[in-house]
Amino acid sequence: MAHKGTSTFIIQRATAALLIPLGIWFLIGVVSHLGANYMVAREWAGQWWNAVLLAAFITIGALHMRIGMAEIIADYIHGGLKGVLSIINWLVALSVIAGALWALYTIAFTG
């Protein structure tokens, strides 16, 4: 537990670095489909490589969010509420990841 702060720092910076190219890819995909109808957007998201990149973008983003919120909770919340909020933080991150992965699986692989 002595080096937890260092590993958290490194992981947060790594997720931030990974989010840069994924965010640029996502913005290009969104901007290139401005004005497109639902079926065109769904077809784009349903291509396996776009589904994989979307899954990576959402998963890494949710993990980055969880680390950031954990730091805020650790710095500003004290007492019993700290543990409750830490659990909620994990549950929200896992719910976002699970929901996004399920949606992308449904779009990309089940039609």
Side-chain angles (χ1 to χ4, degrees):
M1 190 88 137
H3 299 286
K4 185 176 182 301
T6 303
S7 64
T8 301
F9 178 86
I10 292 169
I11 292 169
Q12 188 174 31
R13 289 343 179 251
T15 57
L18 289 170
L19 285 171
I20 293 170
L22 287 170
I24 292 169
W25 164 83
F26 180 73
L27 285 175
I28 290 169
V30 168
V31 169
S32 67
H33 288 87
L34 285 176
N37 65 23
Y38 170 77
M39 290 309 293
V40 171
R42 184 181 169 122
E43 182 180 318
W44 176 80
Q47 295 170 336
W48 73 266
W49 59 87
N50 286 331
V52 169
L53 289 173
L54 275 169
F57 181 60
I58 293 168
T59 300
I60 294 168
L63 293 174
H64 184 77
M65 173 207 68
R66 193 214 57 81
I67 293 168
M69 287 304 299
E71 293 296 315
I72 292 170
I73 292 167
D75 289 346
Y76 297 106
I77 306 297
H78 305 288
L81 188 58
K82 186 181 222 176
V84 171
L85 291 177
S86 294
I87 292 169
I88 292 171
N89 186 30
W90 267 108
L91 291 175
V92 167
L94 292 175
S95 296
V96 166
I97 293 167
L101 292 178
W102 178 254
L104 288 168
Y105 170 77
T106 302
I107 291 170
F109 300 110
T110 64

